[in-house]
Amino acid sequence: MRGLLAFIGGAAILYLAFKSIGNYVSNNLSLVKTSIKTGSITASGIPLVVALHIQNKTNLAIPIDGFSGGIFYDNNEIAPVEINSTVTIQPNKVSIVQIDSFINFLNISSTIKNLIASGQLLAGLNLKGDLRFEGVNVPINHSISLFG
C-alpha cells in the first residue's frame, strides 16, 4: 500500500513540475512579428514564405514541437501554415522560423465570395493557430506584416 501511495505521490509531483515548466515557457515565449514573402504567381496559386519571429525570454533553448494553423483574411483561412518538425528557439533571443505555404486559388474562391457578400473587403491578415511545446499549446493570433 505504501508503495502505491509513494508512486501516486511521485506521479503527482512530476505532473505539477511539468505543468509549472509548461506555464513558465508559455508565459515567456511569444510571437513578436509575422511577415510574408510571396513568390511568383502560378496558374494554381501563390507560393509563400511565412516568417515567424519568436521571442524566447528564458535562459533555456526551447524546442518547439510544431505549429498548426493558417493565414486568415478576416475569419476566412486563405493558406495553411504548418510546422511538423522540431525547431529550437534560442534563449534570450528572437529566432526566425521560416515556413513554406501556398495560397491555392481553388480553395479561396468560396472565401472571396464570402468576403464580397459580407462587405469585409478591407480586413487585415492574421496568423492563427497553436504553437506546440512538450504537450502545451500556446494559442497564436497575430497580425501579419506584408512588407517586412
Side-chain angles (χ1 to χ4, degrees):
M1 185 68 170
R2 279 188 190 189
L4 179 61
L5 289 176
F7 175 75
I8 291 171
I13 290 171
L14 285 175
Y15 170 77
L16 291 174
F18 176 75
K19 186 174 179 182
S20 176
I21 291 169
N23 287 336
Y24 173 74
V25 168
S26 68
N27 290 333
N28 288 288
L29 194 67
S30 61
L31 182 62
V32 294
K33 181 180 176 183
T34 305
S35 59
I36 296 177
K37 291 184 182 177
T38 59
S40 299
I41 296 174
T42 67
S44 58
I46 305 169
L48 307 172
V49 176
V50 180
L52 306 180
H53 300 246
I54 302 172
Q55 183 175 24
N56 177 359
K57 298 177 191 173
T58 73
N59 293 324
L60 306 168
I62 298 176
I64 299 299
D65 299 325
F67 178 84
S68 180
I71 298 170
F72 287 78
Y73 184 84
D74 193 33
N75 288 318
N76 299 284
E77 183 174 338
I78 61 170
V81 178
E82 303 284 333
I83 301 173
N84 294 315
S85 59
T86 301
V87 177
T88 301
I89 308 303
Q90 297 303 315
N92 296 306
K93 292 187 179 182
V94 174
S95 296
I96 299 172
V97 179
Q98 294 191 341
I99 308 163
D100 292 327
S101 186
F102 191 76
I103 297 175
N104 186 324
F105 290 149
L106 292 176
N107 294 344
I108 66 167
S109 61
S110 63
T111 299
I112 293 169
K113 178 183 162 193
N114 292 340
L115 291 171
I116 292 170
S118 71
Q120 297 293 321
L121 297 176
L122 297 177
L125 292 176
N126 284 338
L127 176 73
K128 297 179 186 179
D130 290 307
L131 199 60
R132 293 185 303 278
F133 162 77
E134 298 291 330
V136 176
N137 286 343
V138 178
I140 300 293
N141 186 352
H142 198 267
S143 295
I144 295 175
S145 170
L146 294 175
F147 305 106

